[in-house]
């Protein structure tokens, strides 16, 4: 940052750690300054941004807007591999977006988090120390926190990440009236499971869901959005669910891969046992009300009297 007469000129790019730069589109377009800094690779994090110098530098592009509802965490594994490979081999990389404040800072923070085992706050502080103007949007900050909660492993095998993706499906449904690609919970009948909470069809005993698939809630009136991050009774953020109220007549679960219509974009449908076709419940992306009075969105509802539940001793 350069101070002038009555104004401040922001640097187009700043070195955060050795070999890693964060900057703007203006930095990416300035070939002379890129060569002066020894840049060898460029990571563009912007929607429909064509490389300015495709023959002079090695590029990677992430096509994304600077909006809180954008899913940027899905790219972290790929961008971390790219950035890490450059630095480990003695190269220098510029991570840029348009203003060099939100998207690029988020991607650089994810790399630092994984490399140095940092929290989201620590990684952002490291970048801000070198580039004070950074300001990731609120959705990206939440996703950096989720990245930490996932122990830097973005995988659909993890319930917390699947719930994040489902929350994005809900927002997509509200905005466009249809459901995007759904990442569903794995079918427990196809897995070798350790002793754990398991729900089976009462009629044919087919394994349907595990405890990890259940979306618990507190009883009572009010709206509960399906979320990967909820608050407990003391208002403290926690990625874990509330204890299920045993008085509720239904279990609310995440979408499961054995449910009919899940991958066909159906907004609502019956939930039947995939083996004996017994009716278990129903789902609706607009939500439904539990017997306790809580409205839950989206609603994947299985009636308790249609399943048998076993718990580890």
């Amino acid at each position: 940052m350069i101070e002038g007469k009555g104004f401040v000129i922001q640097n187009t790019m700043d070195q955060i750690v050795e070999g890693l730069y964060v900057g703007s589109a203006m930095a990416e377009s300035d070939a002379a300054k890129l060569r002066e800094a020894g840049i060898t690779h460029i990571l563009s994090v912007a929607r429909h941004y064509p490389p300015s110098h495709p023959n002079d530098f090695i590029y990677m592009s992430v096509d994304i807007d600077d909006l809180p509802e954008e899913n940027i965490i899905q790219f972290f594994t790929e961008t971390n591999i790219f950035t890490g490979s450059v630095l480990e081999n003695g190269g220098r990389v510029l991570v840029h977006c348009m203003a060099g404040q939100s998207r690029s800072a988020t991607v650089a923070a994810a790399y630092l988090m994984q490399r140095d085992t940092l929290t989201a706050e620590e990684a952002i502080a490291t970048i801000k120390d070198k580039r004070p103007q950074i300001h990731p949007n609120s959705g990206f900050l939440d996703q950096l926190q989720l990245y930490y909660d996932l122990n830097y492993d973005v995988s659909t095998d993890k319930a917390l990440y699947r719930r994040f993706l489902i929350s994005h499906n809900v927002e997509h449904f509200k905005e466009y009236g249809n459901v995007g690609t759904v990442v569903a919970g794995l079918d427990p009948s196809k897995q070798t499971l350790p002793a754990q909470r398991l729900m089976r069809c009462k009629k044919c005993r087919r394994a349907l869901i595990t405890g990890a698939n259940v979306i618990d809630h507190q009883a009572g009136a009010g709206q509960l959005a399906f979320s990967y991050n909820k608050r407990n009774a003391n208002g403290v953020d926690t990625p874990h669910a509330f204890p299920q109220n045993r008085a509720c007549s239904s279990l609310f679960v995440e979408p499961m891969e054995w449910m009919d219509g899940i991958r066909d974009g159906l907004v609502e449908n019956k939930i039947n046992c995939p083996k004996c076709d017994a009716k278990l419940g129903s789902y609706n992306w607009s939500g439904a009300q539990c017997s306790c009075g809580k409205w839950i969105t989206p609603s994947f509802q299985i009636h308790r009297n249609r399943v048998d539940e076993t718990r580890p001793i």
Side-chain angles (χ1 to χ4, degrees), residues 21-216:
Y21 291 75
V22 170
S24 64
M26 187 176 295
E28 186 274 340
S29 67
D30 193 334
K33 285 190 177 180
L34 292 172
R35 294 191 186 95
E36 181 181 343
I39 299 297
T40 57
H41 295 67
I42 296 174
L43 174 50
S44 297
V45 192
R47 180 75 71 185
H48 305 314
Y49 189 92
S52 300
H53 318 284
N55 298 322
D56 300 318
F57 305 96
I58 299 173
Y59 280 82
M60 175 182 174
S61 296
V62 173
D63 197 31
I64 192 170
D65 289 317
D66 183 21
L67 297 171
E69 61 269 23
E70 285 275 20
N71 179 352
I72 197 169
I73 193 175
Q74 66 181 312
F75 300 111
F76 287 172
T77 299
E78 188 179 359
T79 57
N80 284 356
I81 290 172
F82 178 83
T83 303
S85 177
V86 173
L87 300 185
E88 289 164 13
N89 287 284
R92 301 170 82 81
V93 58
L94 167 66
V95 184
H96 84 91
C97 51
M98 297 308 295
Q101 296 182 0
S102 182
R103 288 167 285 189
S104 56
T106 300
V107 167
Y111 170 73
L112 294 176
M113 286 173 68
Q114 183 185 50
R115 190 192 73 168
D116 300 332
T117 319
L118 301 179
T119 65
E121 292 80 3
E122 289 168 340
I124 290 295
T126 298
I127 299 171
K128 193 176 286 286
D129 183 59
K130 302 292 185 177
R131 188 172 176 81
Q133 68 265 41
I134 68 161
H135 188 68
N137 70 53
S138 60
F140 291 174
L141 290 175
D142 287 345
Q143 290 177 61
L144 287 172
Q145 179 59 50
L146 174 60
Y147 191 49
Y148 178 77
D149 292 337
L150 291 168
N151 196 28
Y152 322 118
D153 179 19
V154 182
S155 169
T156 55
D157 290 339
K158 296 191 173 185
L160 195 58
Y161 183 57
R162 291 199 303 274
R163 294 178 188 189
F164 162 78
L165 293 174
I166 292 166
S167 72
H168 268 245
N169 283 119
V170 172
E171 294 306 314
H172 182 92
F173 175 69
K174 289 178 180 178
E175 181 73 18
Y176 302 105
N178 58 67
V179 181
T181 302
V182 177
V183 175
L186 297 177
D187 187 338
S189 71
K190 300 177 182 178
Q191 305 175 66
T192 303
L193 299 170
Q196 60 177 297
R197 183 183 176 193
L198 184 66
M199 275 60 75
R200 296 179 180 275
C201 174
K202 183 165 285 189
K203 183 177 179 180
C204 71
R205 308 298 299 163
R206 202 255 196 207
L208 299 169
I209 54 176
T210 69
N213 304 127
V214 176
I215 308 302
D216 293 330

Side-chain angles (χ1 to χ4, degrees), residues 213-272:
N213 304 127
V214 176
I215 308 302
D216 293 330
H217 64 277
Q218 290 178 321
Q223 173 82 17
L224 178 67
F226 194 135
S227 176
Y228 60 96
N229 194 17
K230 300 180 175 68
R231 291 179 180 270
N232 66 18
N234 297 318
V236 178
D237 280 326
T238 170
H240 306 294
F242 291 121
Q244 174 80 25
N245 186 331
R246 298 294 296 176
C248 298
S249 62
S250 297
L251 290 166
F252 289 85
V253 303
E254 63 182 318
M256 301 296 295
E257 61 182 9
W258 53 262
M259 293 179 180
D260 284 341
I262 290 295
R263 302 193 187 281
D264 299 326
L266 296 184
V267 172
E268 57 181 315
N269 200 14
K270 295 178 181 179
I271 299 177
N272 292 345

